Amino acid sequence: MKKIFIFLALGLLLGSCSDKLTSSKAEKLIENSLEENPMYGEVQIYTGELKDNSLSEEQYKLYEKLQGDGYLEISTIEKPVLDWRGNPREGETEKFYSISLTNKSKDYLLGSNKVLFHDSAYENVMKTYTAEVDKVTDIHIIPEMNIAEAKATFIKKDKTPFFIFENDQTEFLVKKVSFQKTEDKGWTSMRKTH
């Protein structure tokens, strides 16, 4: 019982001597973290040669909108259907879309990877918005571990033309964020880069 009392007294003493994590302090820590590592919304856009049935009708309409706005180039090609040996079957063709990013869209490109098992298709990660912290609520401090968790609300700013592919079309995004308390720096944000 005496040991428990000593640990509680020590915990209260340490807690009272240290700076408290408030909502405004947490917001400032996240803002600083966002300056170093901005948080973006991301979607995948496929380019290269894609079979006619690779995209749903809804997806294709979004691709066409981006083509109309000058962010994608789309053309249709027909290729011969190949047999199991790789030889063309006579009189049989397949419809493909040849899709490419324009120079106008490359400002929003965050990364690109070749699609596995497909010779001429790429998965492009496109930026859809930049997140900016709005408020921090529900701060839960765990003093024995020197960490805290909170709920952060972010505003979706600087929406790009690729925002039309976002599943969540709302203006806000809520995420759980973590903080760590160190002896030399006090509270710091443990936010990951994405």
Side-chain angles (χ1 to χ4, degrees):
M1 182 73 169
K2 198 174 189 180
K3 287 183 183 180
I4 292 173
F5 180 71
I6 292 172
F7 280 117
L8 284 174
L10 185 60
L12 287 172
L13 180 63
L14 289 174
S16 64
C17 293
S18 62
D19 55 333
K20 185 175 170 141
L21 183 62
T22 62
S23 292
S24 59
K25 182 168 188 132
E27 287 171 21
K28 187 67 178 158
L29 290 170
I30 294 171
E31 285 171 4
N32 292 342
S33 176
L34 289 172
E35 285 176 16
E36 291 176 24
N37 297 306
M39 185 168 72
Y40 303 117
E42 302 174 356
V43 293
Q44 280 72 38
I45 301 293
Y46 293 94
T47 57
E49 291 182 4
L50 305 172
K51 279 190 178 183
D52 180 29
N53 60 0
S54 296
L55 301 173
S56 70
E57 190 174 326
E58 288 176 23
Q59 285 176 315
Y60 187 71
K61 285 180 182 177
L62 296 176
Y63 275 72
E64 282 183 320
K65 179 177 179 356
L66 289 173
Q67 178 185 24
D69 294 341
Y71 295 98
L72 294 178
E73 290 180 359
I74 304 172
S75 60
T76 306
I77 7 177
E78 289 198 7
K79 290 185 165 188
V81 174
L82 303 177
D83 64 17
W84 64 275
R85 292 177 296 202
N87 297 323
R89 292 183 184 171
E90 195 170 319
E92 292 184 47
T93 60
E94 291 180 290
K95 183 177 171 183
F96 284 81
Y97 295 115
S98 176
I99 303 171
S100 60
L101 299 172
T102 64
N103 285 336
K104 194 174 173 181
S105 65
K106 294 196 177 168
D107 291 339
Y108 309 114
L109 180 65
L110 297 174
S112 187
N113 293 307
K114 195 170 179 90
V115 176
L116 291 177
F117 308 112
H118 200 289
D119 291 338
S120 57
Y122 294 87
E123 181 180 74
N124 304 282
V125 179
M126 307 302 291
K127 178 168 75 169
T128 57
Y129 61 84
T130 303
E132 183 180 287
V133 69
D134 180 44
K135 63 183 176 181
V136 176
T137 58
D138 301 336
I139 298 174
H140 176 68
I141 298 173
I142 307 167
E144 55 275 354
M145 298 178 69
N146 285 333
I147 61 170
E149 293 181 346
K151 209 186 307 182
T153 303
F154 297 90
I155 300 172
K156 298 174 184 177
K157 295 274 194 166
D158 305 322
K159 293 178 186 166
T160 74
F162 295 91
F163 187 78
I164 61 174
F165 284 96
E166 276 284 343
N167 290 328
D168 179 7
Q169 293 284 314
T170 62
E171 297 296 316
F172 295 94
L173 166 71
V174 178
K175 285 188 166 240
K176 184 174 107 177
V177 291
S178 299
F179 302 91
Q180 182 174 19
K181 187 175 181 183
T182 61
E183 287 182 26
D184 56 336
K185 293 183 181 177
W187 289 104
T188 58
S189 172
M190 295 170 52
R191 188 185 70 79
K192 294 187 172 67
T193 56
H194 288 287

